[in-house]
Amino acid sequence: MSSPLSTTPPGPPGHLPPTHTSTAGSETAPNPTTGRRWTGLAVLVLAVTLVAVDATVLSLAIPSITETLRPSGTQLLWIGDVYSFVLAGLLVSMGALSDRLGRKRVLLAGSAAFGAASLLAAYAPGPGWLILARALLGVAGATIMPSTLSLIRALFPDARERATAIGVWGAGATAGAALGPLVGGVLLEHFWWGSVFLLNLPVMVLLLVFGGWLLPESRDPRPGRWDMPSVLLSMAGVIGVVYGIKEFAAHGLSDWATPAVFVLGAAALALFVRRQLRLATPLLEIRLFRDPRFTAAVLSSLISLIGLSGVIFFMSQYLQLVRGYSPLSAGVAELPAFVGSVAGGLLTARLARRAGARRVLTVGLLVMGLGIAVLGVIHADSAYLLIGSSFLALGTAEGVVYTLSSDLVLGAAPADKAGAASAVSETAYELGAALGIALVGSIVTALYAGSLTVPAHTDPALADQAGQSLGGAVEVASTLPAGPAEQLLAAANTAFVHGINVAAWISAALLLTAAALARHLLRPRTENAARSATAPRHDPAHH
């Protein structure tokens, strides 16, 4: 099956072959009318936008959370990335579950759970409770994300309509991530940090009401059993590997537990892959990776988000704590990313039809790399035009990359495995976001702590607090006399910006690597070679 974004005859190099529109093997409700389909799409876009907003809305609240809950530097990183960790660890399992139980049913159940977890997060009394609540939000979010993309396939059997629908869906997802800081800024201007979670409740009510009314049910008619050992292995593998990488980046090998957890996680993933290849009805169809489009899409999502998410996470702190913006002003400053992501998502289908998926995906990743490299040269008082231009380039390119990658994944998979395939795409996205905050965040934190010069005669306990995070340094400075306070703030700002600069250059290198991989994997192949790679898993309608 080919990508719905490439529905015209073969064109430039890398252009993919025409799409088959069959959904054979997928049990769905009768095809709804045109108006009902597009209204149903609006419900799905609302769901994915909300989950994406929740991944980034907290970034502007970090200074307020630091002041109120007083988390350590490590707890601060966990507050930021535990949501994506859990989301990534469960997406494949929940995508397979939605194929079995029904995608609409799982979507609505997850939405209700998401609202309940949001309430717990809003009133968390300490950093530990907030980390737990964010983890529960990740569990609920894992039931929502793959269901939205696979339900689009049920709503839009026509390939060209589906290409447009996925473009709108992708715009909603990337726009939600970019919109999070602005929404957070508006709320934090008037309310306390917990308000960023209460925003979810009325949206979830709308989603439950209109989703139950407008969305068709869709499931795999021959799902097989839901293999619990596979679920546990995938969860343990993802979290173990990510945790090991995160702790190594932050603390090196000072603790024997770090390499042990990484090795155990890697072993769990190896066992998971081996088990999937042997099961008659695997949780994740590993053979999908034989299709170079599928592999290119997954790797592009993963690497691009590793490069992007960590730097953007810290840019929100840069705008508020280094440049002195209010939360609302910082949200407005990041608005170009939102505008660009909407435009990029909506233009993806047209760009792919004209230039080919290979060229569009490669150029999108290159633009992301160049956009983030700009952040490698900023300093404390750089002109906003430089920062805004970087945000615009990043948002536009990410809108294109995310939408095209999602479509390539969905087009490469059989219709009856849409949920599981969609989950792979979302897992790459969320795992990239989690790894980005963990790795890039650990780099920024380590460089900040290593280069911070605390004024002489500062109390050791206060010096340690200042070295934990930039927010901690700001809080310590408020307790010092004017002279030492100014010295500490200047040193902290310099150290923090240095960390962002180095992280941005590393992230840019990752994105350029992703562009090279995408160009290689999507190089033109003969029709016979492409068929032989994917033939074992084609829909019956294709033969």
Side-chain angles (χ1 to χ4, degrees):
M1 216 180 281
S2 297
S3 167
L5 291 182
S6 302
T7 56
T8 56
H15 201 86
L16 302 179
T19 297
H20 298 281
T21 61
S22 170
T23 57
S26 182
E27 180 187 300
T28 64
N31 195 39
T33 63
T34 299
R36 194 178 183 90
R37 286 202 303 273
W38 292 103
T39 309
L41 176 64
V43 175
L44 297 177
V45 170
L46 177 66
V48 75
T49 300
L50 183 62
V51 174
V53 164
D54 217 70
T56 58
V57 71
L58 200 63
S59 59
L60 284 182
I62 291 298
S64 178
I65 290 173
T66 301
E67 181 180 353
T68 305
L69 301 183
R70 299 180 183 276
S72 67
T74 301
Q75 285 177 321
L76 200 60
L77 287 178
W78 276 113
I79 289 170
D81 59 22
V82 70
Y83 174 80
S84 292
F85 278 171
V86 175
L87 198 60
L90 282 174
L91 273 168
V92 169
S93 301
M94 292 303 180
L97 185 65
S98 71
D99 285 340
R100 289 157 171 77
L101 297 183
R103 291 143 190 163
K104 174 182 176 180
R105 180 182 299 174
V106 171
L107 172 67
L108 297 181
S111 298
F114 200 88
S118 298
L119 196 62
L120 176 61
Y123 294 100
W129 277 101
L130 183 55
I131 292 171
L132 173 62
R134 292 274 289 167
L136 293 176
L137 280 167
V139 174
T143 66
I144 296 174
M145 294 292 278
S147 298
T148 58
L149 189 54
S150 52
L151 278 168
I152 287 177
R153 188 163 196 162
L155 281 169
F156 298 94
D158 177 75
R160 190 171 291 272
E161 272 195 339
R162 188 165 66 244
T164 303
I166 291 176
V168 174
W169 176 89
T174 53
L179 187 61
L182 179 61
V183 172
V186 172
L187 291 172
L188 292 170
E189 195 78 6
H190 304 286
F191 306 104
W192 94 115
W193 61 264
S195 62
V196 300
F197 295 107
L198 293 182
L199 171 71
N200 298 337
L201 300 181
V203 179
M204 282 303 169
V205 171
L206 290 174
L207 184 59
L208 289 170
V209 172
F210 288 100
W213 173 37
L214 293 167
L215 296 177
E217 187 54 279
S218 166
R219 62 172 60 86
D220 183 351
R222 297 179 299 277
R225 66 188 182 93
W226 199 56
D227 188 53
M228 184 54 69
S230 294
V231 173
L232 297 177
L233 285 171
S234 66
M235 182 82 176
V238 169
I239 293 181
V241 168
V242 173
Y243 177 82
I245 294 173
K246 169 187 169 63
E247 290 301 303
F248 173 75
H251 307 296
L253 296 177
S254 57
D255 185 358
W256 65 268
T258 297
V261 171
F262 178 84
V263 169
L264 289 173
L269 286 179
L271 290 173
F272 172 78
V273 171
R274 184 181 180 185
R275 187 174 182 85
Q276 302 318 294
L277 291 172
R278 293 183 174 185
L279 288 174
T281 54
L283 194 68
L284 172 63
E285 183 51 87
I286 299 295
R287 293 175 182 85
L288 287 171
F289 284 93
R290 291 177 177 175
D291 190 320
R293 294 163 298 152
F294 189 90
T295 303
V298 172
L299 288 178
S300 296
S301 291
L302 176 67
I303 299 175
S304 66
L305 262 295
I306 290 175
L308 177 66
S309 59
V311 174
I312 296 303
F313 177 77
F314 282 95
M315 282 302 295
S316 294
Q317 296 177 58
Y318 163 83
L319 291 171
Q320 290 182 79
L321 298 177
V322 176
R323 297 182 72 96
Y325 289 10
S326 69
L328 179 58
S329 298
V332 172
E334 295 184 20
L335 193 58
F338 165 71
V339 174
S341 63
V342 173
L346 294 176
L347 289 172
T348 302
R350 181 177 300 177
L351 291 173
R353 282 195 293 267
R354 291 187 176 182
R358 182 192 189 206
R359 186 175 299 170
V360 172
L361 188 59
T362 302
V363 171
L365 291 165
L366 285 173
V367 172
M368 285 184 70
L370 294 174
I372 210 163
V374 171
L375 301 178
V377 298
I378 64 168
H379 42 81
D381 55 354
S382 293
Y384 172 73
L385 181 61
L386 183 69
I387 299 169
S389 299
S390 172
F391 284 161
L392 181 61
L394 283 170
T396 304
E398 172 59 14
V400 171
V401 169
Y402 181 71
T403 304
L404 183 54
S405 297
S406 299
D407 188 79
L408 287 170
V409 165
L410 197 62
D416 56 357
K417 301 300 180 187
S422 303
V424 175
S425 175
E426 296 307 321
T427 298
Y429 185 88
E430 295 299 335
L431 186 57
L435 280 171
I437 294 176
L439 293 177
V440 178
S442 297
I443 291 170
V444 173
T445 301
L447 289 172
Y448 166 80
S451 59
L452 176 65
T453 303
V454 178
H457 309 300
T458 302
D459 182 87
L462 293 177
D464 181 67
Q465 181 181 349
Q468 289 281 331
S469 66
L470 180 59
V474 172
E475 188 174 347
V476 168
S478 66
T479 67
L480 298 178
E486 290 179 3
Q487 292 177 20
L488 176 60
L489 287 176
N493 287 344
T494 300
F496 188 78
V497 172
H498 171 64
I500 288 179
N501 292 155
V502 174
W505 285 113
I506 294 173
S507 298
L510 283 173
L511 286 158
L512 296 180
T513 301
L517 279 173
R519 180 173 176 80
H520 171 72
L521 290 170
L522 292 177
R523 67 189 185 278
R525 289 172 169 82
T526 65
E527 185 177 353
N528 289 336
R531 281 181 177 173
S532 65
T534 57
R537 297 294 166 176
H538 269 179
D539 266 353
H542 290 189
H543 297 285

